[in-house]
Amino acid sequence: MAAKEGLTRLTGNVYGPNCDDDDCPNVYATKRGTFVVQGDTFDGFQAPDGEGLVEIPEHVLREAIRVLGW
């Protein structure tokens, strides 16, 4: 399992209907100004090699935006 070192968790404080542990969809900010998204895999189309697709609920993005003050 990869470490979450260097990531700032932006979501996870407002739990959705299926969130009861650390396995919920989340958005993390990196020190490089990018975001890491944790969520269910999305198979609506094939991503290019080296890329992945995840699907997260709307409330997770809203919480990330709230934390960032946007």
Side-chain angles (χ1 to χ4, degrees):
M1 179 178 285
K4 295 179 185 174
E5 188 174 313
L7 298 176
T8 300
R9 187 174 178 172
L10 302 176
T11 57
N13 299 324
V14 178
Y15 295 106
N18 299 317
C19 294
D20 59 2
D21 202 350
D22 197 30
D23 62 349
C24 300
N26 285 295
V27 177
Y28 299 88
T30 70
K31 292 179 181 178
R32 297 186 312 265
T34 60
F35 298 95
V36 174
V37 179
Q38 172 190 345
D40 296 329
T41 56
F42 178 77
D43 61 2
F45 64 93
Q46 181 65 41
D49 287 344
E51 295 183 6
L53 304 168
V54 295
E55 184 174 13
I56 61 172
E58 180 180 329
H59 76 271
V60 174
L61 287 178
R62 287 185 179 277
E63 184 179 351
I65 289 167
R66 180 191 60 77
V67 168
L68 291 170
W70 293 354

